[in-house]
Amino acid sequence: MKKTALITGASAGIGKATAAKLAQNGFDIIITGRRERLLRDLGEKLTSQFNVKVLELPFDIRDQAEVFKQIKELPDNWKQIDVLVNNAGLAAGLDKFQDADIDDWETMIDTNVKGLLYISKAVIPLMIKRKRGHIVNISSTAGKEVYFKGNVYCGTKHAVDAINKAMRIDLLEEGIKVTSVSPGLVETEFSLVRFKGDREKAGIPYAGIEPLTGEDVADVIWFALNRPDHVNINEIIVTPKAQANSIYFNREQVIRE
Ligand code: NDP
Ligand code: 8X3
């Protein structure tokens, strides 16, 4: 039977690659993000390439009322959501705690934590009604270890990790699976967003290593989604070969090879 997935933050990076992966595997897809043009372009591409239905929903995940309105107003034939990928998120700034911009903190907490809570709270009742569903929360290695100047971004991803565990417990009796995927360095728009468009600074985290791609992470998400019904993958951590965790890198790998 045809399945439907809702992917937040599908206008770029990991979310965009995940939308393509699920479309390739026959899912109808609801794609969300703020940049409407990018969602429309992706929607057209996936529809023609994979012969699936795509619904583009442009909205800001930080806007609680808007999130609930968008889900409430879904056409009836889009309300049977089998998979929710909570991916929309960002880092803003990389500064010592004492130097950081409070607006950056607000943005990260509002998007990575509160936005994830809003969309989950709006979609979960639709899953409970059907006693089935699978939620994939995109956390990070930053949710496993805190790194220098990572303070609040790491805090939001530790929160995602805790929320992921809590959801799995609370949704157990509803037959809903909950998985977290925690990537290390992935080359997407993430760093450019973190450094507010400064391309030079944005390149620094990837210097001397071969980072993951959005497609690498989409493959891992698909692995978790594609298990038999009785199997739940609780957590996956995936890093580039040249990264051991949030802190340790082999930055010479690319140079040596
Ligand atoms: P990108 O910047 O490439 O993509 C982020 C996506 O989130 C975009 O589609 C963006 O859409 C969406 N988004 C951001 N803010 C909002 C908002 N307020 N409302 C709605 N959508 C929003 O980054 P990635 O693909 O790398 O990041 C995806 C997730 O993966 C994030 O949660 C990130 O923390 C996590 N992650 C990333 C890693 C990396 O190294 N890249 C590693 C580990 C985790 P738009 O701008 O159109 O709104
Ligand atoms: C993104 C990976 O190491 O930049 O979550 O925090 S990192």
Side-chain angles (χ1 to χ4, degrees):
M1 212 180 75
K2 197 88 175 158
K3 287 190 171 176
T4 299
L6 189 159
I7 301 158
T8 68
S11 55
I14 295 169
K16 184 177 176 183
T18 303
K21 188 78 191 173
L22 294 191
Q24 189 190 352
N25 284 283
F27 276 71
D28 289 332
I29 314 278
I30 304 169
I31 48 177
T32 84
R34 289 163 300 179
R35 288 171 292 175
E36 190 169 355
R37 183 69 257 165
L38 294 181
L39 294 178
R40 301 262 177 252
D41 290 348
L42 180 64
E44 275 169 30
K45 189 171 161 232
L46 296 181
T47 310
S48 65
Q49 204 173 345
F50 299 116
N51 195 27
V52 294
K53 284 189 273 168
V54 180
L55 180 67
E56 301 99 19
L57 289 186
F59 63 87
D60 189 326
I61 204 153
R62 292 171 296 180
D63 184 337
Q64 183 187 149
E66 188 62 25
V67 171
F68 282 90
K69 179 172 173 282
Q70 291 283 345
I71 300 304
K72 190 167 171 230
E73 290 180 357
L74 278 174
D76 280 344
N77 57 330
W78 282 100
K79 281 198 166 137
Q80 305 217 328
I81 296 172
D82 298 285
V83 168
L84 167 64
V85 182
N86 276 324
N87 164 77
L90 80 170
L94 182 70
D95 303 288
K96 287 185 196 162
F97 188 93
Q98 57 272 34
D99 300 329
D101 182 339
I102 288 190
D103 286 343
D104 284 347
W105 288 357
E106 306 275 13
T107 303
M108 290 187 280
I109 292 166
D110 289 352
T111 311
N112 302 357
V113 182
K114 293 168 74 179
L116 181 146
L117 294 175
Y118 299 156
I119 191 84
S120 303
K121 191 89 165 83
V123 169
I124 283 170
L126 302 175
M127 292 181 167
I128 289 179
K129 213 181 265 178
R130 300 171 62 220
K131 290 278 181 203
R132 60 181 301 112
H134 195 158
I135 299 168
V136 179
N137 293 308
I138 306 301
S139 181
S140 169
T141 45
K144 303 294 177 187
E145 303 100 16
V146 175
Y147 56 83
F148 184 50
K149 298 182 178 175
N151 44 69
V152 171
Y153 177 68
C154 296
T156 64
K157 290 301 182 177
H158 276 71
V160 170
D161 244 27
I163 291 162
N164 181 69
K165 287 180 191 144
M167 276 183 183
R168 191 178 313 111
I169 295 165
D170 292 351
L171 293 172
L172 195 57
E173 63 196 20
E174 307 294 348
I176 296 170
K177 299 196 209 182
V178 182
T179 299
S180 72
V181 174
S182 298
L185 287 183
V186 192
E187 196 160 21
T188 59
E189 294 180 5
F190 178 86
S191 202
L192 205 56
V193 170
R194 170 171 243 171
F195 294 108
K196 298 162 187 171
D198 184 330
R199 288 197 176 271
E200 206 177 315
K201 279 191 185 162
I204 292 171
Y206 310 116
I209 69 162
E210 183 177 346
L212 299 173
T213 62
E215 288 72 20
D216 292 327
V217 181
D219 280 348
V220 168
I221 294 169
W222 175 240
F223 174 82
L225 290 173
N226 194 31
R227 296 304 86 210
D229 188 51
H230 68 286
V231 177
N232 185 60
I233 304 288
N234 289 9
E235 301 184 16
I236 301 180
I237 304 174
V238 53
T239 65
K241 188 171 89 176
Q243 177 177 13
N245 60 18
S246 264
I247 296 148
Y248 293 101
F249 298 87
N250 177 2
R251 294 231 176 245
E252 291 177 359
Q253 181 211 20
V254 165
I255 297 161
R256 262 202 255 115
E257 277 177 359

